[in-house]
Amino acid sequence: MATTSYVQVTISLAELGLDEEELQAEAENLLPQIKEVDGVEDADLVAVTEAPQGSKAFGGFELGTLKAVVNPALIKPLFGFLGRVLGNKSIKVGIKAPDGRELNLEASSREDLEFARQLAEDFLNKTNTQDSNNG
């Protein structure tokens, strides 16, 4: 029986130009929708203890930031959802592969998100391969 190694995807809405309460409300509104996306195993707001140094917090959570645990084979539906819901808004997406590698992307349009999805898929497809040409 094969086990799936999930990836952690962090979505930051901090570039939307909203005040702190509006930004957090936007993140809280997105949360139940993200949980319904195919391939998303779990999603939550990012707790302050997990927040990067220097980030703003609101009510115990990093301001406007969500995290999702996603099946890497189903990353496309998540990016499709983000494109539909946040299409022309600036967001940051961080992906942490099961092997610890990280990829950070920024997008401000549907086209950017589509390109980011392609980069994410390429990045995740290389997760389990050894690159013997470097060194």
Side-chain angles (χ1 to χ4, degrees):
M1 183 190 294
T3 37
T4 301
S5 296
Y6 294 98
V7 297
Q8 182 174 312
V9 179
T10 305
I11 303 153
S12 175
L13 310 174
E15 305 300 314
L16 296 183
L18 303 174
D19 71 28
E20 292 180 355
E21 288 183 18
E22 292 172 329
L23 190 56
Q24 194 60 22
E26 183 80 18
E28 289 173 7
N29 288 336
L30 277 177
L31 184 59
Q33 297 174 57
I34 286 177
K35 287 181 177 183
E36 296 299 316
V37 174
D38 285 345
V40 174
E41 294 299 312
D42 191 24
D44 208 344
L45 299 172
V46 174
V48 172
T49 57
E50 303 170 41
Q53 190 90 12
S55 61
K56 292 184 177 183
F58 185 84
F61 297 102
E62 183 179 346
L63 197 57
T65 304
L66 304 138
K67 67 178 177 180
V69 177
V70 182
N71 181 330
L74 295 172
I75 197 89
K76 187 175 183 173
L78 178 60
F79 275 88
F81 166 79
L82 294 173
R84 286 188 306 278
V85 175
L86 301 171
N88 291 318
K89 298 177 181 177
S90 294
I91 63 169
K92 293 180 181 179
V93 178
I95 298 172
K96 186 171 184 177
D99 63 5
R101 293 177 307 123
E102 295 185 28
L103 176 67
N104 293 301
L105 305 163
E106 291 186 41
S108 58
S109 68
R110 286 192 171 107
E111 293 78 17
D112 287 353
L113 273 167
E114 176 58 24
F115 183 66
R117 179 196 57 79
Q118 291 170 358
L119 290 174
E121 286 180 341
D122 290 346
F123 172 77
L124 292 172
N125 286 335
K126 294 176 184 166
T127 297
N128 295 321
T129 60
Q130 298 281 335
D131 187 353
S132 58
N133 296 330
N134 287 343

